[in-house]
Amino acid sequence: MKKRIGILTSGGDCPGLNATIRGVAKALYQEFGTDDVQIVGISDGYAGLIQNQCRDMAPNEFSGILTMGGTILGTKRTPFKTMQVIGEDNVDKVKAMKDTYKKQKLDALLTLGGNGTHKTANLLSQEGLNVIGLPKTIDNDIFGTDVTFGFHTAVDIATDVIDRLHTTANSHGRIMVVEIMGNKAGWLTLYSGIAGGADTIVIPEIPFDIEKLSEACLRRAATGKAFSIIAVAEGAYSQDEAKLKKKERQKAREERGEITATNRIAKGIQEITGIETRTCVPGHMLRGGSPTAYDRILATKFGSRAAHLVAQEKYGYTVAMQGNEITENKLDEIAGKSKFVPMDDQMIITARDIGVSFGD
Ligand code: F6P
């Protein structure tokens, strides 16, 4: 019997999704032969699985997509917390997803996504579906894997942003505060901050003190360099905010008309130092375009590992990289956990060794 393998991409997109889809497909065709496996593309993530938006795909659709950004399958955010709630549409989403799996006669479902995607993948696995996850996100915050595909491409893009800010900041003697995505984790800011030579790096794992951030700029100015580059993670918060519960912090921010810490940092530093301070938010540019060579290779390795898991009928796992080895973790052991930057991470130590301030 021809195996039928469903594949979907869910959550925020990132470079490397298509490279991973291609890796999975090519390895499945090698494993089973093109006549003995049918790949079923599911549109727009779990939304497509709920609504049975699926189609049988031809082998040539997986060719020529290695370098393409985004996802040929489309993606949507369908938050995990809504999955088990029956909304106004009266749809039991978990039942609908199981029904689609049956209607499409799937032997397995491959889910490419981040933390939210993995929570739903685990739920579906516990509901008896044969699920395999693949870890994507520019945030690099998936528990149990050293790296996710999309992360290194975003590091390169953010590094390029910081490089470009250096020349203009230098010309004008300004402080530039650049806000970098990453959700609640500081990985992307830490890596691109170091690669781009940021003078100060602000991440959620190390709450900042505006006085300390300003002192770092003034110290630099005293050496004859008026300009500074401050890389701020979108999830960063101050030492005062760290004393508040998440909801209180959000409320206080709403009252001040803020979403992220970037503008407050820029305003505070300008007031304290007297140096003109500007902000830059590259935003979704960090998720756009072609994956780097590193991510193409990682995506291909992850994709082929997922195909091997299908061949072994080893379900309820997500692919991972630990050390330099491709491996897998049980979905129920990683779902619902996030990976944050530990204080003894080599990158933190290296940054401190070269005098980078974290504003603490
Ligand atoms: O998880 C990837 C990510 O880009 C985060 O860094 C960011 O917080 C979030 O997605 C933005 O989501 P959206 O594209 O839905 O605005």
Side-chain angles (χ1 to χ4, degrees), residues 321-357:
M321 186 156 104
Q322 288 166 6
N324 223 3
E325 296 294 314
I326 301 296
T327 179
E328 56 270 342
N329 292 311
K330 281 191 166 163
L331 277 172
D332 62 2
E333 285 174 6
I334 64 105
K337 297 182 189 165
S338 292
K339 182 187 69 179
F340 296 106
V341 181
M343 287 309 95
D344 60 352
D345 189 88
Q346 194 59 54
M347 292 291 273
I348 299 270
I349 295 166
T350 303
R352 291 203 194 271
D353 280 350
I354 61 164
V356 169
S357 165

Side-chain angles (χ1 to χ4, degrees), residues 140 144-148 152 191 294 298 301-302 320-329 339:
N140 197 33
T145 185
D146 294 346
V147 69
T148 53
H152 277 288
Y191 273 64
Y294 180 93
L298 183 68
K301 283 181 172 176
F302 277 171
M321 186 156 104
Q322 288 166 6
N324 223 3
E325 296 294 314
I326 301 296
T327 179
E328 56 270 342
N329 292 311
K339 182 187 69 179

Side-chain angles (χ1 to χ4, degrees), residues 63-271:
S63 182
I65 61 170
L66 175 65
T67 60
M68 272 172 61
T71 161
I72 57 167
L73 296 172
T75 186
K76 264 207 177 101
R77 290 195 186 278
T78 317
F80 174 72
K81 60 178 181 219
T82 66
M83 285 297 182
Q84 286 160 304
V85 177
I86 312 238
E88 279 170 15
D89 54 8
N90 218 19
V91 175
D92 180 336
K93 298 182 200 67
V94 177
K95 183 177 177 302
M97 288 191 280
K98 287 165 72 178
D99 287 349
T100 300
Y101 186 93
K102 263 191 220 141
K103 266 186 220 149
Q104 292 293 333
K105 297 189 169 46
L106 297 182
D107 293 290
L109 172 68
L110 271 48
T111 61
L112 283 60
N115 278 323
T117 304
H118 277 80
K119 282 197 245 178
T120 300
N122 183 44
L123 171 68
L124 294 176
S125 169
Q126 285 168 347
E127 289 284 329
L129 307 194
N130 296 331
V131 185
I132 295 168
L134 289 113
K136 77 81 238 206
T137 170
I138 64 165
D139 305 340
N140 197 33
D141 60 350
I142 297 185
F143 192 83
T145 185
D146 294 346
V147 69
T148 53
F149 63 86
F151 172 63
H152 277 288
T153 304
V155 170
D156 276 9
I157 301 168
T159 301
D160 185 50
V161 170
I162 295 172
D163 286 350
R164 287 168 194 276
L165 289 177
H166 260 98
T167 60
T168 172
N170 192 3
S171 306
H172 289 267
R174 285 173 177 154
I175 296 168
M176 296 295 309
V177 182
V178 54
E179 178 179 302
I180 295 172
M181 277 188 173
N183 199 8
K184 294 176 200 146
W187 295 106
L188 185 50
T189 308
L190 180 61
Y191 273 64
S192 57
I194 291 177
D199 306 294
T200 300
I201 296 174
V202 186
I203 58 175
E205 291 86 344
I206 308 178
F208 67 86
D209 173 350
I210 194 74
E211 295 289 340
K212 293 278 167 53
L213 291 177
S214 305
E215 276 165 26
C217 297
L218 288 172
R219 266 201 310 277
R220 219 175 113 77
T223 69
K225 295 211 167 175
F227 85 93
S228 282
I229 305 290
I230 306 182
V232 179
E234 63 175 348
Y237 46 85
S238 68
Q239 292 179 356
D240 286 340
E241 284 178 305
K243 293 176 194 144
L244 303 175
K245 294 206 177 85
K246 194 178 156 204
K247 285 221 168 113
E248 295 169 340
R249 193 158 68 224
Q250 270 165 354
K251 191 160 169 265
R253 281 195 176 178
E254 270 163 30
E255 281 165 9
R256 290 195 300 263
E258 290 168 8
I259 301 170
T260 62
T262 318
N263 287 321
R264 190 150 44 101
I265 288 178
K267 193 163 167 271
I269 288 179
Q270 179 161 307
E271 274 167 17

